[in-house]
Amino acid sequence: MRFVTFEYKGEQRIGMLNEDQTRVIDLEKVFNEKGNNVNIPSSLLEAIDQGETFIHEVTVSMDWLEARNIENYSFFLNEPELKLLAPIPRPRKNIFCVGKNYAAHAIEMGSVADIPEHLLMFTKAPTTVIGTEETVLNHAHITSQLDYEGEIAIIIGKKGTAIKEEEAFDYIFGYTLLNDITARDLQKKHKQFFLGKSLDTTCPMGPWITHTSLVKDSVLEIETKVNGELRQKGSIEQMIFSIPTILSVISQGMTLEPGDIIATGTPSGVGSGFKPPKYLKSGDQIEVRVDELGVLKNTIQ
Ligand code: MG
């Protein structure tokens, strides 16, 4: 199950991709015509809040749809009037971000001494979020060092405090891709990361949320390209703090809630790691890809 938030003729709706990922099924239309046992969610946040009830309803609805003509309940993904939005266009909280979670990236940002001993966390403001194919503002009046960080993001599905590592996957609804665009000069100048990480449009997210059931046993591999040139390549096996460790450490004293988003860190190969640095320029096209999660594409203004 791959869930999307999309706009069709200016109206925002939620949907899911069909098996071959060519069509977006309009979930609201399916739920309405089938007759539904639960409240029809108007956003993926509301759907995630419903948890297993929502997943069950989707499963039953897809069986119902099997006996009907899917064309009446879906749009082509590449239809010009259909626009994918970020799956969660406006998160309720800041986006949680793990910093320096790949040793080679920690070293390229400084030295071996920068490999963290404990989880390093910062956040991005909810106003940073944009979807795939949307433009990242260059903020040229305040930064000349805009950089990319391709990352896998976790979407929390269940409220949890003091989550045990061995139970961590029970709390995950799914995964998406995220580009933790960073103004390196602001990140350094202001010491705390927040300003340099929270400029408007600097959190492209999507293209959809892949339900956890589809990637259960996968070793996700991520790559980032700029103008077609491979810059970053990594695997979740290289993370210093694994996904269960991240959830467990965060939740020891802070409750995680449905819809919370956690970016898990970026592999080496960011622009500032090159000598000379390869910062983003106007017109640059960035692609973050994980085969199981899709491709997140954005252009710099
Ligand atoms: Mg990052």
Side-chain angles (χ1 to χ4, degrees):
M1 297 175 191
R2 293 179 166 87
F3 297 107
V4 298
T5 300
F6 67 100
E7 212 175 75
Y8 189 76
K9 296 185 175 174
E11 199 186 326
Q12 191 172 316
R13 313 176 77 84
I14 62 166
M16 70 182 279
L17 297 190
N18 68 338
E19 200 95 345
D20 66 10
Q21 302 182 28
T22 54
R23 285 181 165 275
V24 173
I25 300 164
D26 185 340
L27 282 177
E28 205 176 316
K29 187 169 186 196
V30 171
F31 286 172
N32 265 320
E33 294 201 14
K34 179 187 150 287
N36 213 51
N37 297 320
V38 295
N39 292 332
I40 296 174
S42 63
S43 67
L44 285 188
L45 274 178
E46 283 181 25
I48 294 165
D49 286 344
Q50 290 179 1
E52 285 307 313
T53 312
F54 170 71
I55 295 299
H56 174 75
E57 201 58 36
V58 169
T59 308
V60 174
S61 298
M62 289 308 112
D63 291 343
W64 176 89
L65 187 59
E66 199 114 299
R68 288 162 180 80
N69 184 357
I70 190 172
E71 287 177 24
N72 297 332
Y73 298 90
S74 64
F75 307 101
F76 277 117
L77 186 55
N78 59 9
E79 204 167 306
E81 281 177 302
L82 185 143
K83 181 181 184 243
L84 289 185
L85 304 180
I88 300 176
R90 183 64 189 245
R92 294 188 183 116
K93 297 179 190 169
N94 281 18
I95 294 122
F96 297 73
C97 299
V98 178
K100 298 178 182 166
N101 200 20
Y102 291 74
H105 171 62
I107 294 167
E108 76 179 344
M109 295 302 286
S111 69
V112 177
D114 289 276
I115 298 174
E117 200 180 325
H118 301 285
L119 193 71
L120 191 166
M121 289 233 76
F122 61 90
T123 69
K124 290 172 88 80
T127 39
T128 55
V129 174
I130 58 171
T132 190
E133 311 274 357
E134 289 197 270
T135 302
V136 177
L137 299 175
N138 63 29
H139 299 279
H141 62 300
I142 44 170
T143 177
S144 57
Q145 297 186 356
L146 218 52
D147 205 352
Y148 52 87
E149 296 189 357
E151 308 198 12
I152 293 162
I154 302 162
I155 312 294
I156 295 295
K158 196 169 88 172
K159 187 172 173 176
T161 310
I163 295 169
K164 294 190 181 79
E165 286 199 19
E166 57 272 26
E167 292 169 5
F169 288 108
D170 299 344
Y171 291 84
I172 297 176
F173 178 83
Y175 300 87
T176 191
L177 297 171
L178 187 153
N179 191 346
D180 173 19
I181 304 243
T182 307
R184 297 291 179 207
D185 35 11
L186 299 186
Q187 185 184 20
K188 284 188 199 97
K189 181 169 139 189
H190 295 278
K191 307 293 180 212
Q192 296 270 340
F193 287 8
F194 188 49
L195 256 186
K197 294 281 191 180
S198 286
L199 302 182
D200 292 349
T201 71
T202 58
C203 191
M205 190 196 299
W208 42 71
I209 295 174
T210 301
H211 189 249
T212 182
S213 58
L214 290 186
V215 292
K216 227 173 184 167
D217 304 308
S218 313
V219 178
L220 303 178
E221 297 192 347
I222 184 166
E223 57 178 47
T224 309
K225 289 180 178 175
V226 178
N227 302 326
E229 180 191 315
L230 183 65
R231 296 280 183 86
Q232 299 188 277
K233 198 172 168 57
S235 143
I236 54 167
E237 286 188 324
Q238 299 166 331
M239 288 180 182
I240 299 169
F241 304 101
S242 68
I243 289 170
T245 304
I246 293 169
L247 263 59
S248 177
V249 172
I250 295 175
S251 67
Q252 287 311 307
M254 174 167 40
T255 299
L256 285 169
E257 298 180 300
D260 284 352
I261 302 162
I262 307 170
T264 57
T266 202
S268 63
V270 299
S272 64
F274 289 89
K275 289 181 181 58
K278 296 181 176 181
Y279 294 121
L280 294 164
K281 307 178 302 296
S282 287
D284 277 355
Q285 293 185 316
I286 318 158
E287 276 189 25
V288 182
R289 174 191 299 267
V290 169
D291 284 343
E292 295 86 340
L293 308 183
V295 186
L296 174 68
K297 294 181 206 172
N298 297 89
T299 304
I300 303 294
Q301 174 197 22

